[in-house]
Structures are given as structure tokens and as C-alpha cells.
Amino acid sequence: MASGVKQGSGMKQGGGMRQGGGMRHIVRGGRVVDPSQGIDARLDLLIEDGRVARLAEHLDSIPGVEETDASGLVVTPGLIDIHVHLREPGFEYKETVESGLRSAAAGGFTAVACMANTQPVNDHRAITELILNQARLHPYARVYPIGAVSKGLAGQELAEIGDMVKAGVVAISDDGLPVMNAALMRRALLYAQHYEVPVIQHAEDLDLTGDGVMHEGEWSTRLGLPGIPGVAEDVMVARDLLLSADTAGRYHVAHLSTGRSLAMVREAKRRGVAATCEVSPHHLLLTDQEVATSGFSTAMKMKPPLRDRSDVEALIAGLQDGTVDAIASDHAPHHPDEKDVQFSVAPFGILGLETTVSLCLDRLVGGGILELSRLVHLLSTGPASVLGLPGGSLAPGEVADITLLDLEREVTVNADAFGSMSRNTPFDGWQLRGAAVGTLLDGQPVLDG
Amino acid sequence: MSEPAIPEVTWTRKDLVGIADLSVEEIELILDTADSFQEVSQRSIKKVPTLRGKTVLNLFFEPSTRTRSSFELAEKRLSADALNFSGSGSALSKGESLIDTARNLEAMAPDLVIIRHQHPGVPHMLAQRLESGVINAGDGAHEHPTQALLDAFTIRQHKGRLAGLAVTIVGDIEHSRVVRSNIHLLVKMGAQVTVAGPRTMMPAAVEKLGVRVSYDLDEALTDADVVMMLRVQLERHGQSLFPSTREYFQLFGLTQARLAQAKDDAIVMHPGPMNRGVEISSAVADGKTSVILEQVANGVAVRMAVLYLLSLAQQGDG
């Protein structure tokens, strides 16, 4: 596959591209873990013109060519977070494209896909272009914008999906809100096929959610907080899987959180439905009980809500058996003034870009739940495949986006030191083993390790 | 104005935010202390100097007649200086954040803050941020600890104990803070609690709180020592949880005939305000077995006890 780089259209390069022209670079001495090729071995890696040129047990130094010393580190395809909120335009007091990309690079990500619920909404080409222009000015990581399904996220009429795809969007979603109207969802699944982009659903039946603010179960009962039943997600996933099968449209479940939804996706995949799903680290590591033990901490408030132990166990089984295609953080910055209020009125959402890798290395790999190569798959190859993005592989000819991991590094999560402008994390103070220590974009180091 | 005879105390809590984290000993201490204060309410001059010079803020962000009056009366009988602050017309209704309100209150340095709020967890939030003692007077559907304490006090007066009693609580279990505090208290004290009500008003996994769940009023009342009826709201946020008050009364309204299932000496309670003819018939509400007005009277003594104990915990802090 000399030049067989998967690249559906020339547009899928993401914002933040650098000029790698003529440059060579060697990444030396690392343990290369590339699930796309089934590689887990100590290898040197030569980059030419921003693409992977060669992997070999030993590469001679080339005069004038800079090297990255990766000895003692793990070298992986650049990690990709396909679910983040960069908040620009409109909510620059929470996050900007610049701060969000700094946060991504600090967390070990070389690419992010950003949701459309900005102000104005990314429901037309001008906003897509604005986001990509900002990304070009701050090339810490690539940005793949996701366009809205409906104009203004209003759930009424389709946005100009084709025009946005030409401008660079890689998927469509009304995330933050579900597409409640089944007819609109069906239309989106049909229409998006013209442009070969998936429809990403924030699966939640708002009538079943009502005024709910946390998972409905023992802990919502104890705390007297209105509950969001798991079935609010399940009925939407069930409906959408039927629509996906009926239309042959590509369907992706964002932040899937319940055991029943996972089982339905597993079964649909078996039938050949074009469905994929992602899960978020907090849904794998925390349960609804945390709302009580944290004393109503609003850092425990997000959508979907933290579920119960049986859901967590089902999601972990889904990671292990391949039902889950990607781990995505749903990075959702909010200003401290917005979060420092009573639980019932605080906005939903928590940060994720700077905690995901260490949490997954420590709790999932360190905890014996996943092999390292499986985790790398879920953070790179898997998400690239869900959205049809370049990367996710270090095969020769692929774009040389690379993440360096130190499995031994001990870190303490410190929200005050985040690259993000916001601080809303439930993991502040957690001591974790394993961290991303650097990224390369187009073969060039992004931030000093 | 002699001091009441108060039991030996070891009370260390700054706040009373809920029953869930209280020990059996702490509950007994409050009830025993309330016994002493009840005697004050029976004097011709119903006032003692116990809290003279202390400032108590009554912070009610939700309308309340009986709880608020009860706290005010308790404060007055203890000679505290009380300041009232209500949701409407307060800074909060002008868009000030709760944290800023709390900071402003802190600057006034009250000794105790009584808080009623529609959102669960607000008393906890204030307790964490204020040096003042905080008493939860009801937070959303979460807790209403002084109500559960006055209910326990009333039950103890009639039955002499709490352990081993069969207590049946009937109504909108899901939206009731009174239920949650009562369940925590009664289960801790060894009573057998049954909750009964329509399935559309039953919270998820409520049996994990240590109660039996029944959807049949007659069955739930069988051999009960105590029957506690809850105020029912058939509509919440525009959502109808039950078709009509008429149908509710047929299924879960307490009548004399149904009460016959309970023990002969069963008592009937209600935290008020009552919907006569919806959850309870007037014959039962005003009948011999009803202790509803005693609950109100006992509320003052119990709240005096709580105010007193919390103010004790502050001494020494300067």
C-alpha cells in the first residue's frame, strides 16, 4: 500500500496541518504498539515528508536528521478523541480552539473531533471554516469538526450537510441534544450517505429524562434528586438501530452508558447493521454512588449520568469483546462559576482530554482489564475507523501522527495545571501510573515532553 | 426562668443536614433533650435564656408556614435573636448565586442558619462553606430531619419505643423528603417500615433503604402500629402522575374502614398540610387515633433541642 493512504476526500486532513515537506525524523528505541498492523516490538521509525517511511529493528542515524529518543517509551499511532467540545465560537470563556488543542496535546491526543453545539451552531460552512481557521493558527493537534444534523440544533430541518462536508466536517450530530424526531433521524441517515459521513446520536429520550439530573436508581432515591432512567438511552438506541438497519445509514452512538444499549449494539453489529459506539472513561470508572460520596459534587454531573455497577461491568465487557469501537472523552468544559452552584442547576459535563490516557493506562491496562494494544486500538485505530480519518496506524505511507506513552510515570491529576481553560473534573487529585509524554504531528514534535 | 433539666450530652456535630449520617445515640440524645424542652412549652412563661445573644438566620427559599413558624417559635422560646430571609424578594430571586448569598451570610456571622431550599444538597453546600451551624429544614425531595425527629418523638410518646414497631408510610414516596428522613430514622432505630403508594410515585430501588414496598393499601396497613400519610400532589412540572384525585382516594385514601386493618391502638400521622378527601378522610384526620396536632406541638420542642445541641457544639470555637 505504497500510496494507499486511506483518505476518502482531500478534505480529511483536519485543521492544524503543518508543512512536513522534505523533512525527515527518526523516532528511536521505543516499543512500537500499532494494533492496525499487529505490531508490539522495539523498533525504530523513520518519517519522511510527514509520513511513516520505515519501521526497522535498527535504523542508522542520518547526518542532519533530528531524532526523538523514545527509549523506555511506548510509540503508538497518534491518539484521536472523536468527542470533544471546543466551545468556540460563542463560549470562549469556557474553552477556545487554542486552549482545547493545548489540552489535547498535553493529554497525548494528535486529533480531536469537535461537536457542533457552539454559538452560532456549526450548522453551516462559515462556522466550519472558522473552526478550521482557528485550528490552523494553533497546530497542537488536528481538528475534525462535526456538523449539526439540524439547523440550530432545533431538531426540525436538516442543516446543509453536503456543504459542510465539503468544508471539512467528518460526521453530523446534534450532540448535547438528541435527534428526538424519528422522521428527521431517518432523513439524516439517508441523506448523510450521499456524503459518506456517519450520524452520531446523543441517545436520550428527553421525555423520559424529564427534569432528571443523575442516574435513576438507589442513589437518586437516597439523595432525592430526579433520576434519568437508563431506559431513556435504551429506547433511543433501539429506535435508531431500527432506522439504521432500514436505511443502511451509518450510525454511531455517542457516550454509550448502559448495559442494555451495549447489548443492542452488539446484536445489531452481528446482524450487519452499520452501527458503532464509543464509551467515555468516566462511565467506566465511576458509578452513580459518587454523587453521594462526593457530597453532591457537580463534577459528578454529566449526560449521560454516571450509571450503576452493572452498567459499568457491561461496558467493560464491551471493551473486551470488541463491541465498543472507541474510547472518547466527551470533553465538556464549563466555567467554575457555572459549576459552583447547587447540583440540580449546574450544567452537565466534565473535562476529559487531559485525564483519559492516564486513567485508561492505570485503571484499564494497569487494572488488568485491557491489553495495552487493545487500549491503543480504542484510542487510535478504532476512532479513526469510526469517522474514516487518516491516522490510527503507523504503516508505511500513513500520516506520521504519533503519541509517546510512559507506562511507568506516576502522575497526580492537577486541574489547576490543565491546558484547558476549565477545571471541571471529578478526577482532581487522583494518583495514576502511566501518562502520555509527547506527541508528533506530521512527524514533528508538538510540545516539549 | 430556670434552665430545663437537660441530659448529659456529647454532641459534636456543627450541622444537622440529614438523618442519614446520624448515629442511634445522636438520635436518642436529640429525642431525650426534646423531652426536657417540652416541659418549657408547658410553663406559663414559655421562655428560657439558653440561646440569649445567639443569632439565628431563618433562610427559607421555598414557601413554608408550619416548619418556619415552628423554628421561629423554638428560637424565641430559647431567647435567640432571629432574622428571617425568604426566597421571594431576596438576593437569590435577583439572580445572585447561592455561593455569593452564602458568603454574604457568612459576613453577618450568624451562629445558626436554618435553610429550606427546593434543591437537594443545598444545606450540605452551606454547611461546607459556613462556619455557622446549619440546620436542614427541608431540601427538595432529599431530607427533612427535624420532621422525622418530631415524628419519632411523637411515636415514642404514644408507644414508648421505636424498635419493633410496624410503621406504614403511604403516598407519594418519590417526591417526599419526609419519607426519606423517616425511613433513615426508623430503620436505624429498629422499626419495620413499609412504604405504600402508586407505582408512578415509587422511587427506584427504594427497598435498598431497608423498607418493604407495597402497592396495596389494605395489605400495607395490616397490623400497623403507626400509619403515616403523606401529602399528595397529583401533578408535578406539568406531568400527571395519577389520573384524578377521585381515583387516588379510591386506591390509597385512608378511611376508617381501611384503618381497621391496622392494630387497634394504631396512631395516624400526617406531616401536613393535609388534602382532606384526597389522601385522608376527615373522619380519620379528626378521629381519636389521629396525633396530627400533637406532631405540630412536638415540633417546637424537638427544634429547641436541635438548636440547643448545635449551639453547644459551637462553644469553644470562639
Side-chain angles (χ1 to χ4, degrees):
Chain A
M1 49 186 289
S3 63
V5 181
K6 64 173 174 215
Q7 184 176 343
S9 74
M11 288 303 161
K12 286 194 178 176
Q13 299 175 341
M17 274 285 284
R18 298 171 161 215
Q19 296 306 313
M23 297 285 286
R24 287 194 288 182
H25 193 91
I26 290 173
V27 178
R28 183 176 296 285
R31 173 184 166 196
V32 174
V33 176
D34 178 4
S36 79
Q37 306 180 78
I39 290 174
D40 184 347
R42 204 197 143 284
L43 294 170
D44 296 342
L45 192 152
L46 174 67
I47 297 153
E48 278 180 359
D49 298 333
R51 295 192 174 273
V52 178
R54 255 183 91 198
L55 287 161
E57 282 185 21
H58 178 75
L59 290 172
D60 290 329
S61 292
I62 306 168
V65 170
E66 284 189 23
E67 301 195 353
T68 294
D69 178 9
S71 52
L73 302 179
V74 171
V75 178
T76 74
L79 305 185
I80 303 170
D81 190 337
I82 57 172
H83 193 146
V84 308
H85 297 268
L86 295 179
R87 303 300 191 205
E88 186 177 355
F91 305 102
E92 291 86 351
Y93 66 96
K94 301 177 194 238
E95 195 82 287
T96 61
V97 172
E98 179 183 5
S99 66
L101 294 185
R102 278 184 189 280
S103 182
F109 290 93
T110 57
V112 298
C114 61
M115 287 298 175
N117 60 342
T118 48
Q119 181 62 264
V121 171
N122 184 19
D123 60 1
H124 57 288
R125 165 189 278 274
I127 302 301
T128 308
E129 287 172 350
L130 181 150
I131 294 166
L132 289 172
N133 282 333
Q134 287 299 94
R136 259 172 228 118
L137 295 173
H138 308 290
Y140 305 111
R142 291 172 205 276
V143 175
Y144 296 104
I146 294 168
V149 170
S150 66
K151 286 177 185 152
L153 305 181
Q156 300 293 321
E157 21 173 359
L158 288 179
E160 286 186 319
I161 293 161
D163 206 33
M164 287 194 291
V165 169
K166 285 175 192 153
V169 308
V170 296
I172 52 169
S173 180
D174 277 359
D175 182 70
L177 293 169
V179 177
M180 278 286 282
N181 183 316
L184 180 71
M185 188 63 181
R186 184 158 178 262
R187 221 171 286 136
L189 285 163
L190 288 167
Y191 189 74
Q193 292 177 59
H194 287 294
Y195 300 96
E196 297 177 33
V197 292
V199 181
I200 302 175
Q201 174 72 298
H202 166 120
E204 174 189 14
D205 184 308
L206 294 174
D207 294 322
L208 287 172
T209 292
D211 57 356
V213 294
M214 71 174 289
H215 176 61
E216 181 183 286
E218 175 186 355
W219 293 98
S220 66
T221 292
R222 286 186 184 276
L223 296 175
L225 287 168
I228 302 173
V231 76
E233 176 169 315
D234 304 333
V235 297
M236 201 56 110
V237 170
R239 180 200 81 176
D240 289 347
L241 289 171
L242 291 169
L243 292 172
S244 174
D246 189 50
T247 58
R250 270 278 289 115
Y251 173 66
H252 178 74
V253 188
H255 44 51
L256 186 145
S257 72
T258 73
R260 266 187 303 210
S261 287
L262 187 91
M264 287 188 284
V265 171
R266 181 184 289 129
E267 188 272 338
K269 283 182 164 188
R270 211 170 279 150
R271 281 187 288 126
V273 177
T276 51
C277 70
E278 74 197 25
V279 298
S280 303
H282 46 275
H283 291 127
L284 296 166
L285 302 176
L286 302 171
T287 66
D288 55 344
Q289 186 174 357
E290 300 292 337
V291 180
T293 49
S294 69
F296 295 91
S297 166
T298 59
M300 300 296 169
K301 183 175 177 183
M302 73 293 289
K303 266 189 182 177
L306 298 175
R307 301 292 187 186
D308 67 21
R309 179 57 50 196
S310 68
D311 289 313
V312 168
E313 284 165 8
L315 297 189
I316 285 172
L319 291 181
Q320 292 168 331
D321 73 9
T323 304
V324 175
D325 299 90
I327 291 174
S329 75
D330 192 10
H331 180 82
H334 289 295
H335 193 276
D337 288 347
E338 297 171 303
K339 275 290 200 179
D340 203 4
V341 296
Q342 48 273 48
F343 193 91
S344 306
V345 302
F348 294 93
I350 61 166
L351 301 179
L353 281 169
E354 289 170 79
T355 49
T356 292
V357 171
S358 288
L359 287 168
C360 291
L361 286 174
D362 183 291
R363 297 302 162 107
L364 301 182
V365 177
I369 290 168
L370 291 181
E371 299 284 334
L372 178 62
S373 64
R374 181 83 199 132
L375 176 65
V376 173
H377 172 88
L378 287 161
L379 288 169
S380 63
T381 316
S385 161
V386 167
L387 294 187
L389 305 176
S393 172
L394 295 175
E398 290 285 352
V399 62
D401 289 358
I402 292 168
T403 298
L404 302 173
L405 306 175
D406 181 346
L407 303 184
E408 307 302 322
R409 182 170 293 197
E410 306 274 350
V411 294
T412 302
V413 177
N414 177 10
D416 287 334
F418 279 173
S420 169
M421 287 167 62
S422 290
R423 301 286 174 260
N424 49 314
T425 174
F427 302 112
D428 201 23
W430 281 38
Q431 295 187 315
L432 301 167
R433 186 182 180 85
V437 294
T439 57
L440 288 82
L441 263 191
D442 293 321
Q444 299 298 308
V446 171
L447 296 174
D448 288 331
Chain B
M1 296 217 305
S2 64
E3 292 280 351
I6 290 159
E8 280 298 306
V9 291
T10 44
W11 182 270
T12 53
R13 263 175 214 282
K14 175 175 93 68
D15 313 293
L16 178 66
V17 292
I19 301 291
D21 46 359
L22 291 188
S23 68
V24 169
E25 292 73 26
E26 286 172 311
I27 292 166
E28 280 172 347
L29 177 60
I30 296 171
L31 299 180
D32 293 345
T33 308
D35 271 331
S36 315
F37 279 112
Q38 197 178 37
E39 179 260 325
V40 174
S41 298
Q42 287 154 3
R43 297 180 190 173
S44 59
I45 295 173
K46 300 175 177 59
K47 195 162 178 128
V48 290
T50 314
L51 292 192
R52 194 161 59 195
K54 298 275 186 186
T55 309
V56 183
L57 272 182
N58 297 311
L59 203 52
F60 280 70
F61 290 102
E62 233 185 25
S64 161
T65 308
R66 115 185 26 210
T67 302
R68 182 177 175 153
S69 314
S70 181
F71 267 109
E72 274 191 56
L73 204 51
E75 290 150 16
K76 288 186 167 137
R77 288 186 180 169
L78 291 169
S79 308
D81 295 317
L83 185 65
N84 294 319
F85 190 92
S86 67
S88 55
S90 73
L92 210 69
S93 65
K94 294 171 191 147
E96 185 180 74
S97 82
L98 189 67
I99 297 304
D100 283 335
T101 303
R103 289 196 180 114
N104 280 279
L105 296 177
E106 180 85 289
M108 296 180 213
D111 297 286
L112 292 168
V113 175
I114 318 300
I115 171 91
R116 152 88 46 113
H117 200 284
Q118 63 270 33
H119 292 143
V122 168
H124 302 67
M125 202 169 156
L126 290 187
Q128 284 162 15
R129 286 164 203 262
L130 299 184
E131 280 186 37
S132 325
V134 173
I135 298 172
N136 181 0
D139 60 329
H142 180 219
E143 284 235 39
H144 192 355
T146 57
Q147 178 71 42
L149 287 161
L150 75 88
D151 289 342
F153 186 84
T154 307
I155 296 170
R156 220 171 64 157
Q157 274 188 333
H158 282 268
K159 303 291 175 190
R161 67 196 163 100
L162 295 167
L165 293 179
V167 181
T168 297
I169 310 177
V170 183
D172 182 354
I173 307 298
E174 180 164 17
H175 298 97
S176 173
R177 52 188 167 223
V178 174
V179 166
R180 285 170 178 78
S181 289
N182 262 302
I183 288 174
H184 292 314
L185 191 149
L186 292 166
V187 169
K188 278 175 205 276
M189 303 307 283
Q192 268 93 54
V193 181
T194 298
V195 295
R199 288 174 189 272
T200 49
M201 296 176 176
M202 197 59 76
V206 68
E207 67 284 350
K208 296 224 167 123
L209 275 61
V211 301
R212 195 173 71 88
V213 182
S214 172
Y215 300 106
D216 175 345
L217 183 58
D218 291 309
E219 187 272 333
L221 290 174
T222 303
D223 295 329
D225 294 293
V226 177
V227 181
M228 205 178 276
M229 302 305 292
L230 300 172
R231 178 180 171 80
V232 166
Q233 252 180 284
L234 295 189
E235 207 176 276
R236 286 193 173 261
H237 311 289
Q239 304 276 317
S240 178
L241 300 173
F242 212 83
S244 67
T245 54
R246 188 175 146 270
E247 202 157 295
Y248 185 89
F249 189 70
Q250 285 170 7
L251 258 185
F252 287 100
L254 186 63
T255 58
Q256 292 284 24
R258 286 184 136 155
L259 189 56
Q261 310 289 329
K263 286 194 182 151
D264 291 343
D265 62 348
I267 56 171
V268 174
M269 308 176 77
H270 195 300
M274 283 184 286
N275 294 308
R276 289 168 183 264
V278 180
E279 70 258 3
I280 190 166
S281 74
S282 286
V284 175
D286 305 327
K288 277 192 302 222
T289 56
S290 167
V291 299
I292 294 168
L293 294 176
E294 289 172 47
Q295 288 173 269
V296 178
N298 290 338
V300 178
V302 166
R303 290 178 176 118
M304 287 171 81
V306 169
L307 289 164
Y308 166 75
L309 289 170
L310 290 197
S311 70
L312 269 192
Q314 292 186 327
Q315 286 172 6
D317 294 347

